Amino acid sequence: MDFNGVRMAVYKVKDILKDEAVGLEVTLRGWVYRHRIVGKKAFIVLRDSTNVVQCVIDGAFLPNAYSLAEKLGLEASIEVRGRVKKEPRAPTGYEIEVVELRISGASSDFPIKGGEGIDYLLDNRHLWLRSRHLTEVMKIKSTVLKAAREWLTNNGWWETTPPILTASACEGGATLFEVKYFDKKAYLSQSAQLYLEALIYSLEKVWSLTPSFRAELSRTRRHLTEYWHLELEAAWYTMDDMMEVSEELVSYIVKRVLEENTDQLQLLRRDTGILENSTKTPYPRIRYDEAIEMLQRKGFQIKWGDDFGADEERVLTEYFDKPFFITHFPKKVKSFYMKLDEENPEIALGFDLLAPEGYGEIIGGSQREDDYQKLLNRIIEEGYSVNEYKWYLDLRKYGSVPHSGFGLGIERLVMWIAGLEHIRDAIPFPRMLGRIYP
Ligand code: NSS
């Protein structure tokens, strides 16, 4: 940046909030987070991507900068040059004694002033993203994605790129989004699983991170219609092997967030006790039958064969202080592709991983049916078109192998780690029932 012909290093706010920076003359760029005029002084709290710092302009010495500052609106973008001072009364403990101020982009009457209702804030999501709360969550999400990629790379998994436009359902027709594909019908992917299954015959251990789409017909705190789906699939893996992979992965991600996002977790007032505990594996495992008993003991009118909703899951989480698995579900509450228990074919070798503190399911996975005839029977039993799944059945005809996989909802995981009330805050532009703007 060029001030009066002199090139100045541009600092980030976080790098000057320390005693070693006191006395330095620095240049900062950012946005007006707050500002007020007291007597002949202007106090501007400048925000950049790293933090906020108070900047003071003394009108007695800098009349021009002072009159610029008087006109500043919330969220205007500015560049300031000045000296770093320690100031315990300032919001972040230091302040800038400004010697020069420039306005890059003016802003007047910023639409978000505080106290607005949720629908208004969602309509103004493009501006609401500047809030402290959403900024901290986005940073945590970035660490979550980085950590997942680190773990997968370090453990020999191949990243792959399955399609989003698909010709068949993975998780049932009820939540399919239909799109016009030239003169045909196609669907937005609910899961990359079926395609990942095709890739294990060459790569053995594969993963992908893609958007998944679900036409969810209810608005809940944990359902989006578009979410980011991290999916793994591996040849030769049993359900137990895959559960181990999922607990290693999740505990690693939590550990990395605890290391890298101390400031964010603190700003979000996240109690980290349970997160610390969740870095330790193994995670507890219970079977569906036990979960039913646990719920009945808590007064639920639930019987064998019923599926769990958010209420059931919340109550089950009260029994645990870290994520835990539920396994061996009745086949009728799970998808057609799951392998059935050899001893009791009414039971599917599926597992869910539930986050504690009331959050519930973050992962759904299973061992897959690898026998051609059994899979064909299941497809017919569910009333699906055999022709549509011909390619998927082929995989069982040419060198079939036992294999397993799972899908992790990134926003579900972020929601739990960041301690959010609602999943919409785990994604910048949430898509939910009836809403797609902005
Ligand atoms: O339906 S899942 O339980 N399982 C599958 O889609 C498998 N085909 C994945 C696989 O084995 N490769 O969804 C997996 C996860 C689930 O546990 C949630 O964490 C998340 O995907 N999920 C969602 N997140 C946000 N919003 C919605 N609507 C949603 N649905 C699932």
Side-chain angles (χ1 to χ4, degrees):
M1 170 179 189
D2 189 355
F3 263 119
N4 301 329
V6 185
R7 277 205 81 75
M8 305 279 305
V10 182
Y11 283 77
K12 290 281 120 192
V13 170
K14 80 165 167 15
D15 297 324
I16 57 140
L17 297 177
K18 50 182 135 186
D19 288 353
E20 299 89 272
V22 170
L24 277 185
E25 189 173 286
V26 299
T27 295
L28 298 171
R29 292 171 167 172
W31 289 262
V32 176
Y33 186 64
R34 274 203 294 271
H35 77 315
R36 69 199 153 97
I37 304 283
V38 181
K40 257 309 195 187
K41 281 188 174 174
F43 294 86
I44 303 168
V45 178
L46 174 145
R47 160 182 79 72
D48 73 5
S49 59
T50 65
N51 209 333
V52 300
V53 65
Q54 174 166 295
C55 306
V56 185
I57 298 168
D58 190 336
F61 299 106
L62 293 172
N64 291 342
Y66 178 80
S67 60
L68 269 185
E70 273 186 318
K71 290 188 222 105
L72 274 180
L74 265 192
E75 291 300 324
S77 50
I78 55 172
E79 299 175 319
V80 301
R81 181 163 64 91
R83 207 166 288 284
V84 182
K85 248 182 68 184
K86 210 173 168 78
E87 177 47 75
R89 288 167 300 175
T92 42
Y94 296 82
E95 104 186 341
I96 307 292
E97 272 182 334
V98 176
V99 295
E100 191 164 355
L101 165 73
R102 284 186 188 178
I103 300 178
S104 162
S107 165
S108 66
D109 207 16
F110 189 68
I112 301 175
K113 296 174 171 61
E116 290 89 358
I118 184 64
D119 281 320
Y120 180 86
L121 288 172
L122 283 170
D123 284 344
N124 287 282
R125 187 67 164 190
H126 53 300
L127 302 174
W128 188 20
L129 286 173
R130 302 181 190 193
S131 69
R132 208 76 199 275
H133 178 78
L134 290 176
T135 306
E136 307 314 327
V137 178
M138 294 309 137
K139 288 180 182 173
I140 291 174
K141 188 175 195 179
S142 178
T143 306
V144 165
L145 295 171
K146 178 172 73 172
R149 190 169 253 111
E150 272 168 14
W151 191 89
L152 290 159
T153 307
N154 293 341
N155 287 280
W157 296 77
W158 294 98
E159 181 168 7
T160 63
T161 54
I164 301 299
L165 286 170
T166 67
S168 46
C170 179
E171 295 300 328
T175 63
L176 269 184
F177 273 113
E178 205 175 287
V179 292
K180 204 166 144 304
Y181 189 74
F182 303 103
D183 58 345
K184 293 197 169 62
K185 257 194 222 170
Y187 309 100
L188 296 179
S189 172
Q190 299 167 306
S191 162
Q193 177 192 326
L194 308 189
Y195 298 97
L196 293 183
E197 285 187 59
L199 283 156
I200 61 164
Y201 297 85
S202 51
L203 297 168
E204 296 194 30
K205 286 162 59 175
V206 297
W207 68 279
S208 63
L209 175 64
T210 60
S212 275
F213 300 87
R214 308 268 169 124
E216 303 285 356
L217 291 176
S218 54
R219 263 199 197 224
T220 76
R221 297 189 313 126
R222 58 182 204 161
H223 286 94
L224 294 164
T225 56
E226 177 185 287
Y227 69 98
W228 286 85
H229 205 171
L230 179 74
E231 294 177 90
L232 278 68
E233 195 72 31
W236 313 107
Y237 277 48
T238 62
M239 177 169 84
D240 284 334
D241 296 335
M242 217 57 212
M243 287 163 64
E244 272 172 42
V245 169
S246 67
E247 67 191 355
E248 289 307 317
L249 174 66
V250 169
S251 60
Y252 180 80
I253 293 173
V254 174
K255 181 166 92 56
R256 295 291 285 120
V257 171
L258 285 169
E259 285 164 4
E260 293 209 2
N261 297 103
T262 328
D263 293 349
Q264 282 70 49
L265 293 167
Q266 210 175 341
L267 279 158
L268 293 171
R269 301 210 180 82
R270 179 72 170 108
D271 173 1
T272 53
I274 289 213
L275 294 180
E276 300 281 353
N277 206 27
S278 306
T279 62
K280 295 180 212 106
T281 57
Y283 293 160
R285 290 146 163 74
I286 56 167
R287 293 171 72 108
Y288 170 90
D289 298 13
E290 291 169 76
I292 289 284
E293 279 168 28
M294 289 158 90
L295 287 167
Q296 286 169 344
R297 256 184 275 140
K298 294 252 182 183
F300 274 80
Q301 299 289 325
I302 194 169
K303 56 183 190 319
W304 200 93
D306 293 343
D307 202 359
F308 302 144
D311 290 340
E312 287 79 12
E313 290 188 4
R314 182 166 24 75
V315 166
L316 288 170
T317 70
E318 289 168 8
Y319 287 90
F320 302 93
D321 57 4
K322 51 161 80 170
F324 62 98
F325 292 100
I326 307 179
T327 65
H328 299 88
F329 290 84
K331 77 169 186 194
K332 64 172 192 178
V333 304
K334 291 290 180 192
S335 300
F336 73 97
Y337 52 70
M338 290 193 186
K339 192 174 180 67
L340 303 179
D341 194 337
E342 311 250 293
E343 270 139 46
N344 181 354
E346 283 310 305
I347 287 173
L349 297 182
F351 66 91
D352 286 352
L353 182 68
L354 277 67
E357 303 172 279
Y359 282 93
E361 182 185 339
I362 54 174
I363 282 183
S366 70
Q367 187 157 340
R368 321 306 192 186
E369 184 52 77
D370 51 76
D371 179 84
Y372 180 88
Q373 194 56 48
K374 287 183 182 159
L375 183 61
L376 178 63
N377 293 346
R378 286 288 285 138
I379 288 172
I380 294 167
E381 199 179 350
E382 294 285 338
Y384 296 155
S385 143
V386 174
N387 199 36
E388 225 169 81
Y389 291 98
K390 182 190 169 297
W391 69 271
Y392 185 63
L393 282 159
D394 265 359
L395 304 175
R396 281 72 183 162
K397 265 166 72 178
Y398 308 103
S400 194
V401 279
H403 63 286
S404 302
F406 66 82
L408 181 162
I410 293 290
E411 288 76 18
R412 293 267 182 100
L413 178 61
V414 169
M415 184 185 173
W416 165 55
I417 292 179
L420 305 179
E421 287 288 319
H422 199 293
I423 196 167
R424 65 179 165 234
D425 283 354
I427 191 159
F429 294 96
R431 272 74 179 98
M432 293 168 294
L433 179 67
R435 175 181 277 283
I436 196 165
Y437 173 88

